Amino acid sequence: QSALTQPASVSGSPGQSITISCTGTSSDVGGYNFVSWYQHNPGKAPKLMMYDVANRPSGVSNRFSGSKSGNTASLTISGLQAEDEADYYCSSYTSSSTVVFGGGTKLTVL
Amino acid sequence: EVQLLESGGGLVQSGGSLRLSCATSGFTFTNYAMSWVRQAPGKGLEWVSGITGNGLTTYYPDSVKGRFTISRDNSKNTLYLQVNSLRAEDTATYYCANGVRFLDYWGQGAQVTVSS
């Protein structure tokens, strides 16, 4: 099972919007609406930011939104804030009843 | 408050074995599937196992199948990961997490270092 493909890094200025893409195959991202996104700061536990493509857990800012088209899912952060700077990972349930993560994207707030 | 606390990590020689534990509280453990996820130094997250709430079904990626065994004791609200035939590439921080399809809550992680 190959890792999902994410850009290594993205950046934006405070107040701007950014989008992180996550590309898989029809056996994972494209086959199920079971894509989730995690925010990870070094030394801390990862935090669930989005599940089942576009559902926000309680307590996650509505500045975060998710979508999917075909084999590519996306996480958009609007009104970028300094506290959003972190690593972001997508993951998907797969046809093998396993879970696969993306390689991670480092978000820098300029 | 949901809490997950990993233990059992440490320094182990190549070829050795280790059992990680994850003590949980704050939710009805038996109602939830659970997972283990690891992060090697400088690398991304890698899901390494999952188990259903009743413990009857387990899931592994091909990369660890045959060496890793996930289990749970619902009477103790505790999740386990047995890791055998350890290799240098198993050096990582190992996290337990609530769920499989999506991972709701995570522990702080247990460090495993494999020395040659």
Side-chain angles (χ1 to χ4, degrees):
Chain A
Q1 185 70 54
S2 299
L4 307 177
T5 300
Q6 298 180 232
S9 63
V10 298
S11 62
S13 299
Q16 287 186 332
S17 294
I18 63 95
T19 296
I20 301 171
S21 62
C22 171
T23 301
T25 69
S26 59
S27 295
D28 38 65
V29 175
Y32 306 90
N33 286 326
F34 296 150
V35 176
S36 51
W37 290 89
Y38 303 89
Q39 179 189 66
H40 191 203
N41 286 295
K44 293 191 171 183
K47 177 184 178 183
L48 177 68
M49 304 301 287
M50 197 71 58
Y51 67 96
D52 293 352
V53 177
N55 291 281
R56 265 190 321 274
S58 173
V60 173
S61 171
N62 58 10
R63 296 185 298 105
F64 290 81
S65 61
S67 63
K68 192 187 86 167
S69 177
N71 295 338
T72 298
S74 298
L75 177 72
T76 297
I77 309 174
S78 59
L80 208 56
Q81 298 178 0
E83 67 198 47
D84 299 330
E85 188 163 289
D87 296 325
Y88 289 84
Y89 293 87
C90 64
S91 78
S92 176
Y93 188 73
T94 80
S95 58
S96 304
S97 299
T98 60
V99 171
V100 62
F101 279 93
T105 298
K106 182 176 182 60
L107 169 61
T108 300
V109 180
L110 302 171
Chain B
E1 180 191 5
V2 173
Q3 291 191 335
L4 298 91
L5 183 63
E6 301 93 341
S7 61
L11 178 64
V12 61
Q13 284 196 326
S14 179
S17 298
L18 202 63
R19 189 175 85 154
L20 300 174
S21 299
C22 173
T24 74
S25 62
F27 64 101
T28 306
F29 184 66
T30 192
N31 286 355
Y32 288 86
M34 298 290 293
S35 292
W36 287 96
V37 176
R38 69 181 178 183
Q39 184 176 35
K43 303 290 187 181
L45 300 175
E46 180 188 14
W47 181 85
V48 294
S49 59
I51 188 168
T52 53
N54 59 15
L56 294 182
T57 307
T58 57
Y59 307 94
Y60 307 93
D62 289 342
S63 57
V64 305
K65 201 174 289 184
R67 293 194 305 122
F68 287 23
T69 302
I70 188 173
S71 62
R72 62 193 296 160
D73 185 336
N74 285 349
S75 69
K76 295 181 178 180
N77 294 338
T78 300
L79 179 72
Y80 303 100
L81 183 68
Q82 177 73 36
V83 185
N84 298 327
S85 304
L86 279 158
R87 310 164 179 167
E89 54 264 38
D90 295 319
T91 293
T93 299
Y94 286 74
Y95 298 96
C96 66
N98 177 322
V100 171
R101 197 178 83 226
F102 60 89
L103 307 177
D104 230 344
Y105 296 96
W106 299 60
Q108 291 296 319
Q111 179 64 43
V112 172
T113 303
V114 182
S115 67
S116 53

